[in-house]
Amino acid sequence: MLTPAPNQSPHIDTPTEKRDPQSSVLDDGLQYETTDREPLRIALTSIKSLRSAVRSTMHNTLTEMFASHTYVGMVDESRRLAAIQSGVKLYLIDYGLACNEFFYQIGLTDFGNFGVIKLEPPPKVVDLLQIAAEVEQEQHHNKNGDEAESIFANAAEMVAQTLFERREMLDEYFSMKISDEGELLTIPLLLKGYVPSLAKLPLFLLRLGPYVDWNSEEECFRTFLRELAAFYTPEKLPIPPPSAASKESAGEAESTQPNPMDETSSEEDPMISNRRLQMARMLEYAIFPALRARLVATSRMLQGVVEVADLKGLYRVFERC
């Protein structure tokens, strides 16, 4: 219900960009429109404070590495690993961690000026929340039993009420529009050419209840943008099933007779296959170019960067040979 069909796309508005008449890889399958809305000048002390907090944790060397990198390719989408080259060094990057920080920073720099992704037809907020609540209840039932059932029994209605009461603020600052009938009309667009997994939308909405501090302005913005960044962070994808050719090359095909079970196990859900291809394009043409242009790498991102090769050192080895 939440994921668009292969020949359908979310309807996306961008507030300030002019549309290029020539289609590109970034626009593949997406429909963009522009609006005449003037960008807002945000002078909120809370947002300035949050931006300052990011700058105070900036890691200069890591920021320079991302600013000068060349994208090499996807390594493992199940662990969200990609390879980049900066100078003469090759690195493995946890792009999940990098994207989480990057989308939080976009939330701060573009605060109040996001584009929008239109959901057509718009789902009911309470229906999305109910989906997430049922999944969470099932996951926690084995651990907490009746306590989990009582917690999630009315969670959807409570969170829906919280969001509905604050819908004017959500629309003004976060481009998240909720209709009078409780339908979710739009969600924020943070990066042109990238669409988050809409399968994560129910849980994102549910977490806006207990994990956002609605009582303090600065904490409200910080926690909301952290949840938004988590929603936008690329999801882990399952390891693709081995093809028949790879099985034979690995010596796993022991019989010349076709095995129906093997054929079934080697088939992947078409939606996952499409998302895998879409993610590969978005990483190469949208996310990593944006990281190179805009990311302020922070110290906490060091845990997601591993140097795997130094080409200068390899050249010395070859010279000795």
Side-chain angles (χ1 to χ4, degrees):
M1 179 184 71
L2 297 176
T3 305
N7 61 345
Q8 295 178 336
S9 306
H11 194 67
I12 300 176
D13 287 351
T14 53
T16 58
E17 295 181 271
K18 293 183 179 179
R19 185 174 181 179
D20 188 346
Q22 296 182 345
S23 61
S24 67
V25 176
L26 296 183
D27 298 333
D28 183 24
L30 304 178
Q31 299 176 4
Y32 289 94
E33 291 183 356
T34 58
T35 67
D36 297 329
R37 191 187 73 180
E38 291 294 327
L40 298 177
R41 297 189 62 181
I42 303 298
L44 295 172
T45 303
S46 54
I47 293 298
K48 292 181 179 180
S49 175
L50 292 172
R51 292 171 180 170
S52 177
V54 171
R55 288 192 295 270
S56 68
T57 60
M58 175 180 176
H59 192 284
N60 292 327
T61 303
L62 199 58
T63 300
E64 292 172 2
M65 184 200 76
F66 274 101
S68 62
H69 85 270
T70 299
Y71 180 72
V72 176
M74 174 88 73
V75 175
D76 187 345
E77 58 261 78
S78 67
R79 294 190 292 169
R80 293 185 294 200
L81 296 177
I84 66 170
Q85 180 180 342
S86 180
V88 295
K89 296 183 178 181
L90 186 68
Y91 298 91
L92 278 183
I93 303 296
D94 180 345
Y95 64 80
L97 179 62
C99 286
N100 186 276
E101 180 62 29
F102 174 64
F103 284 121
Y104 174 69
Q105 293 179 16
I106 287 184
L108 292 175
T109 55
D110 295 351
F111 186 84
N113 291 294
F114 303 125
V116 300
I117 298 177
K118 293 181 180 179
L119 303 180
E120 298 177 351
K124 290 278 190 180
V125 172
V126 70
D127 291 343
L128 296 176
L129 290 168
Q130 190 61 45
I131 293 173
E134 290 174 358
V135 172
E136 290 295 298
Q137 179 178 339
E138 183 176 348
Q139 292 179 349
H140 289 81
H141 180 74
N142 294 334
K143 295 181 179 179
N144 301 319
D146 295 338
E147 182 181 355
E149 186 173 349
S150 63
I151 291 174
F152 292 103
N154 300 316
E157 290 76 10
M158 293 173 62
V159 176
Q161 183 64 28
T162 298
L163 298 179
F164 190 81
E165 291 173 353
R166 294 164 174 81
R167 61 196 182 110
E168 292 184 6
M169 184 267 286
L170 293 174
D171 183 21
E172 180 180 3
Y173 290 145
F174 302 109
S175 298
M176 185 171 162
K177 186 184 291 292
I178 300 175
S179 70
D180 294 339
E181 293 75 27
E183 297 173 331
L184 183 60
L185 303 178
T186 66
I187 57 176
L189 170 67
L190 300 189
L191 179 65
K192 184 178 180 181
Y194 176 74
V195 178
S197 171
L198 296 183
K200 297 169 63 176
L201 183 57
L203 183 58
F204 163 64
L205 295 175
L206 184 65
R207 288 179 61 90
L208 294 182
Y211 292 101
V212 172
D213 184 350
W214 298 101
N215 299 316
S216 166
E217 180 178 285
E218 182 171 331
E219 278 302 294
C220 174
F221 293 156
R222 184 187 68 82
T223 51
F224 187 99
L225 291 175
R226 282 296 181 189
E227 292 301 323
L228 181 60
F231 168 58
Y232 257 82
T233 298
E235 71 279 16
K236 293 181 179 180
L237 295 173
I239 299 174
S243 63
S246 64
K247 285 183 178 181
E248 291 177 3
S249 63
E252 295 179 7
E254 299 178 355
S255 173
T256 57
Q257 297 296 326
N259 188 335
M261 294 298 294
D262 289 342
E263 293 180 4
T264 302
S265 62
S266 64
E267 295 179 358
E268 185 174 48
D269 187 314
M271 294 183 66
I272 296 178
S273 298
N274 291 338
R275 181 62 177 175
R276 192 186 305 280
L277 295 174
Q278 183 188 44
M279 184 61 66
R281 290 197 304 269
M282 292 189 298
L283 284 172
E284 181 175 1
Y285 296 105
I287 291 179
F288 273 90
L291 293 178
R292 184 168 56 243
R294 300 183 62 180
L295 177 66
V296 175
T298 58
S299 298
R300 82 181 188 97
M301 292 176 58
L302 286 170
Q303 60 185 308
V305 179
V306 177
E307 180 184 327
V308 293
D310 185 337
L311 301 184
K312 185 180 294 185
L314 291 177
Y315 291 149
R316 293 197 187 100
V317 173
F318 291 140
E319 287 173 358
R320 288 198 297 270
C321 295

